[in-house]
């Protein structure tokens, strides 16, 4: 039977570790880590995520600043807000919650955040440094997955890892991280995406599958080999009138059919999701400690 990778428990341990570090920083009169978040518009999911991120900061003892703007804000105005935070010496990390309205360039906004404060790890400098195995902020979901692999002591060296999905935020960095010469890493990585012709042929060869395509229950029991490690990054909201929220969160893996074949598997919810939030806290702590950029 598969070991269920418990993201709630692991992220709670990480939050506890961070809380203790903040307590010791406070005791020696050091600077309290401070995260700023920018939220544009009123997208329901973004609102939920940002509020949770702010709550997480409170729980570990960080300072946080939430700046909300109407979706009519111009690109120029938003860039000026980013610049102001870049120049605020009290703020260690800044995230701009995505998506942002279409009239604002995501690339321009991402590129304007100072790499030293880019705790989302989206700036090209951080992505480039990660690819070169230099100290860098690693974006939250991949960092969370790396933590799960490490804390569950899952062997990766020489394993064949199949990543499904090539997004900038998850699939692409995961493929880079797991092929690096380090632990977790040293994998042979295959990156599958919407143009891949024979995904099942690929996943059947995989020792590790990372499903990050955003298609509910895409990975079925017949697509994985016995003993595989399966990491489910999917979080699609599927309408469900029986739920108070009106939706059910669905992963990219058909858990019922896939789990019995696995050595390790992450559930949805309670797998990768909570780790993503913990990673942002880890990156903010690294920013406050000036551990990445000295
Ligand atoms: N939208 C979805 N995921 C993320 C994330 O990790 N960071 C930001 N800033 N926006 C997101």
């Amino acid at each position: 039977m598969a070991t269920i990778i418990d993201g709630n428990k692991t992220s709670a341990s990480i939050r506890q570790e961070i809380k203790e570090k903040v307590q010791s920083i406070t005791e020696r009169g050091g600077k309290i880590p401070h995260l700023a978040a920018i939220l544009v518009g009123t997208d329901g999911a973004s609102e939920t995520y940002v509020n949770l991120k702010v709550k997480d900061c409170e729980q570990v003892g960080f300072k946080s600043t939430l700046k909300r703007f109407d979706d009519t804000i111009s690109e120029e105005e938003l860039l000026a807000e980013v610049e102001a935070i870049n120049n605020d010496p009290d703020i260690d990390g800044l995230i701009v919650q995505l998506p942002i309205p279409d009239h604002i360039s995501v690339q321009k906004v991402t590129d304007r955040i100072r790499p030293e404060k880019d705790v989302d790890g989206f700036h090209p400098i951080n992505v480039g440094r990660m690819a070169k195995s230099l100290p860098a902020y690693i974006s939250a979901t991949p960092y969370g997955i790396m933590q799960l692999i490490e804390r569950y002591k899952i062997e990766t060296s020489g394993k064949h890892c199949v990543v499904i999905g090539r997004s900038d935020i998850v699939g692409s960095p995961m493929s880079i991280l797991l092929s690096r010469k380090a632990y977790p890493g040293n994998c042979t990585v295959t990156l599958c995406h919407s143009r891949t012709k024979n995904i099942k042929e690929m996943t059947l060869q995989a020792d590790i599958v990372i499903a990050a395509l955003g298609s509910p229950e895409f990975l079925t029991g017949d697509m994985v080999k016995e003993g595989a490690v399966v990491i489910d990054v999917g979080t699609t909201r599927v309408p469900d009138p029986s739920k108070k929220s009106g939706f059910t969160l669905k992963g990219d893996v058909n858990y019922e059919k896939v789990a019995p074949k696995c050595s390790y598997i992450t559930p949805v919810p309670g797998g990768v999701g909570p780790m993503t939030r913990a990673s942002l806290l880890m990156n903010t702590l690294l920013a406050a400690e000036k551990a990445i950029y000295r």
Side-chain angles (χ1 to χ4, degrees), residues 8-243:
N8 285 325
K9 201 171 122 205
T10 311
S11 69
S13 315
I14 291 173
R15 284 199 306 272
Q16 184 56 33
E17 288 161 25
I18 294 175
K19 199 171 169 175
E20 285 164 16
K21 283 210 171 154
V22 175
Q23 278 161 357
S24 85
I25 292 170
T26 311
E27 276 160 25
R28 65 181 140 83
K31 187 189 169 302
I32 303 298
H34 185 174
L35 175 72
I38 292 181
L39 176 62
V40 184
T42 53
D43 177 74
S46 292
E47 189 118 12
T48 305
Y49 293 142
V50 168
N51 287 332
L52 289 170
K53 289 170 184 180
V54 168
K55 217 170 96 192
D56 287 342
C57 284
E58 264 169 42
Q59 198 237 330
V60 298
F62 287 1
K63 279 171 76 176
S64 66
T65 298
L66 172 57
K67 292 205 149 196
R68 310 180 60 124
F69 300 100
D70 204 83
D71 56 11
T72 54
I73 190 172
S74 71
E75 183 178 272
E76 204 178 327
E77 284 166 326
L78 186 60
L79 291 172
E81 294 291 342
V82 168
E83 202 56 57
I85 295 174
N86 279 341
N87 295 326
D88 182 336
D90 194 63
I91 295 174
D92 302 295
L94 165 63
I95 62 162
V96 176
Q97 186 66 24
L98 303 177
I100 49 178
D102 289 343
H103 65 274
I104 305 173
S105 157
V106 174
Q107 198 188 330
K108 274 193 196 163
V109 172
T110 306
D111 291 6
R112 185 62 68 93
I113 298 172
R114 268 178 60 187
E116 293 88 340
K117 296 196 178 190
D118 169 39
V119 285
D120 256 333
F122 291 169
H123 193 286
I125 296 250
N126 279 314
V127 178
R129 288 172 65 117
M130 172 201 62
K132 294 194 68 168
S133 296
L134 294 169
Y137 295 112
I138 294 166
S139 60
T141 304
Y143 194 16
I145 294 170
M146 296 293 273
Q147 286 291 322
L148 287 176
I149 293 173
E150 208 175 320
R151 287 170 184 249
Y152 276 81
K153 300 187 169 59
I154 294 169
E155 184 57 70
T156 58
S157 182
K159 303 292 183 191
H160 184 191
C161 174
V162 171
V163 179
I164 315 172
R166 57 179 156 185
S167 69
D168 285 347
I169 298 184
V170 186
S172 168
M174 258 347 286
S175 70
I176 294 168
L177 289 165
L178 285 174
S179 57
R180 295 199 308 191
K181 198 171 182 174
Y183 177 75
N186 278 313
C187 287
T188 303
V189 177
T190 302
L191 180 58
C192 298
H193 46 74
S194 53
R195 300 291 174 91
T196 303
K197 291 211 170 80
N198 47 355
I199 292 195
K200 183 176 168 183
E201 233 173 83
M202 300 295 170
T203 55
L204 275 172
Q205 293 175 44
D207 302 304
I208 303 169
V209 180
I210 308 219
L213 68 159
S215 171
E217 303 191 336
F218 174 86
L219 195 77
T220 47
D222 58 328
M223 293 173 79
V224 293
K225 74 173 182 189
E226 209 60 50
V229 175
V230 172
I231 310 283
D232 187 351
V233 188
T235 51
T236 307
R237 290 179 164 196
V238 177
D240 182 350
S242 74
K243 291 276 166 74

